[in-house]
Amino acid sequence: MRYLSILSIILVAIFVSSCMGGPGQETNIGGIDMKFLENQPTNLIREDANFLVGVELTNNIPKYLDGSLCIYDTPANSFGGIQEPECTLLHLSPAEIVNDQKYPDTQLIQFPVSGNSYTYGNLAMGVSTTNINAKLTYDLKTISRAELCLKRDPSVNIDGCSASSVLAGNDILADFAPVGIEMIEYNIVPEGNNNRLYLDIHLKKAQEGEVISEDNGHKVNLDINLIGTPSTFDCYPSSTEGIELIDNSRVVRCDGSVSLGRQDFYYDSLAISLDYTYSTTISTGAIPLKRKNEKI
C-alpha cells in the first residue's frame, strides 16, 4: 500500500483537524473506527507522573487494511509529553464473515511505541491542561452492488422491470464505510443497435473525518461495471481524474453504451468501486495538569 504517501499526507494535514474543532473520543463511521482505551490517558495527569496513550482500532471491512496512526498533544515540547507527532504504521486483519454475520477485527495500539512512558515536567504557570489527539489515515477500496433490470426495448411494458428507477437503502449492498452510495437513479434509452444507460450516483460521506489525496485535494476514485453486460461508462466529474468530495455529499452523473443482445430483458448487477484515502481524528478533550506545588 501507499505507506510513504500516507505518512507525507498525515504529517502535512495533522494539525488541520485541531483548527476545525470538535472531534469526539471515538468514531463509529465504518472502515476503521477508533477510540481511546480507558485510563490511557487518565482524566488527570500529574507533573512528573508516567502516563500512556492507548487506542483501540476496529476494522469493519472484510479485507486487510493498511494505514498510519499518529498521536500529538498541545503543550510545547519543552514541557515533555508527546514530542512532535508520534506515528506508527498499521496492518489490520479483515473482519470475518460467518453465517452472514460480521465480526470486526480489533487491534490495540499503545504509545509510546518504544514501550516506555510519557511525562510532563517543568510546568509553567498557565500550562494547566493538555489535549491529546489521535489521527488515523488509511487507504480503502469498497464495492457497492445493486441489481438493475435491463430491457432491450424500454417502451415495452414488462411487469417488475422498469426502464427507469431509483435504488436506495437495502437495494444497495455495500460495506460499512465512511464513504458510500446513498442512492442510484438509472434510466435506459434506445440508441441504435445498443442502449444507453444513464446513472445518477449519490455519494455520501460521514460527518466525521475527510477524504484526502496527494495533491492536497479530497478525491475519490470511482469505477463502474455491469457484471454480465459489455459496457463502458463516462462520468462527470471525470472518474479518471478523481472526484472531489469536499462536502458530505455529491452526485456523479455517468452514462454508458450497453449491448443487451437478443434478450427482451434480464437482470444484471451494477458494481461501483470507490477507492480513496480517509483520515479521522479523535481527541481526549482538555485533561487537567497538576503541578507539584499545586494543591489537589
Side-chain angles (χ1 to χ4, degrees):
M1 299 300 288
R2 304 188 292 269
Y3 289 126
L4 293 178
S5 298
I6 288 173
L7 282 176
S8 63
I9 291 171
I10 191 75
L11 292 174
V12 170
I14 197 164
F15 293 106
V16 173
S17 62
S18 63
C19 299
M20 298 175 69
Q25 293 191 353
E26 61 181 290
T27 63
N28 184 31
I29 60 175
I32 303 175
D33 283 308
M34 60 176 171
K35 66 178 181 180
F36 286 110
L37 297 179
E38 187 175 2
N39 292 321
Q40 292 188 28
T42 57
N43 57 12
L44 184 147
I45 300 176
R46 302 174 188 276
E47 185 176 9
D48 293 338
N50 296 331
F51 70 94
L52 304 172
V53 178
V55 180
E56 179 182 288
L57 301 171
T58 300
N59 182 7
N60 297 285
I61 305 295
K63 65 176 67 174
Y64 287 98
L65 295 181
D66 297 307
S68 174
L69 179 66
C70 298
I71 64 167
Y72 55 100
D73 61 3
T74 49
N77 288 339
S78 58
F79 301 118
I82 303 166
Q83 300 296 293
E84 305 299 339
E86 181 173 351
C87 301
T88 185
L89 292 174
L90 305 172
H91 186 61
L92 277 69
S93 297
E96 293 187 7
I97 307 295
V98 180
N99 297 326
D100 294 328
Q101 293 292 319
K102 184 173 68 176
Y103 299 91
D105 179 76
T106 60
Q107 187 174 133
L108 306 182
I109 307 294
Q110 194 171 72
F111 292 92
V113 292
S114 64
N116 297 318
S117 58
Y118 301 112
T119 58
Y120 289 107
N122 301 314
L123 294 177
M125 290 293 294
V127 183
S128 57
T129 63
T130 181
N131 194 317
I132 297 174
N133 301 275
K135 190 174 185 71
L136 170 69
T137 302
Y138 60 99
D139 297 323
L140 183 57
K141 182 175 182 177
T142 61
I143 298 179
S144 300
R145 290 181 172 85
E147 188 178 75
L148 306 184
C149 184
L150 304 175
K151 55 183 178 179
R152 190 157 48 90
D153 186 351
S155 65
V156 175
N157 291 326
I158 299 174
D159 289 343
C161 184
S162 175
S164 61
S165 187
V166 177
L167 305 174
N170 293 333
D171 297 326
I172 304 171
L173 301 178
D175 291 320
F176 181 34
V179 179
I181 308 297
E182 184 179 35
M183 183 169 64
I184 301 169
E185 300 175 79
Y186 76 88
N187 183 34
I188 188 167
V189 299
E191 188 180 78
N193 294 326
N194 292 332
N195 293 72
R196 185 158 294 273
L197 179 61
Y198 291 91
L199 299 167
D200 280 5
I201 300 168
H202 295 248
L203 299 181
K204 185 71 172 180
K205 185 186 79 66
Q207 294 282 345
E208 299 174 63
E210 63 177 341
V211 174
I212 56 177
S213 49
E214 295 179 21
D215 60 356
N216 295 321
H218 307 270
K219 292 180 179 178
V220 175
N221 297 315
L222 181 146
D223 187 55
I224 305 173
N225 288 289
L226 283 168
I227 302 303
T229 305
S231 57
T232 56
F233 289 91
D234 293 315
C235 296
Y236 179 81
S238 173
S239 56
T240 58
E241 298 175 1
I243 296 162
E244 196 75 18
L245 192 60
I246 299 174
D247 298 324
N248 292 334
S249 61
R250 183 158 194 181
V251 178
V252 181
R253 292 184 166 86
C254 305
D255 67 273
S257 176
V258 296
S259 177
L260 303 184
R262 297 180 179 179
Q263 293 175 262
D264 290 334
F265 77 99
Y266 62 91
Y267 291 91
D268 200 356
S269 180
L270 178 71
I272 303 173
S273 70
L274 300 176
D275 187 1
Y276 53 93
T277 299
Y278 207 75
S279 181
T280 52
T281 300
I282 56 174
S283 174
T284 60
I287 298 175
L289 297 176
K290 290 293 183 181
R291 298 192 306 277
K292 285 183 177 180
N293 60 354
E294 188 175 356
K295 292 184 179 180
I296 299 175

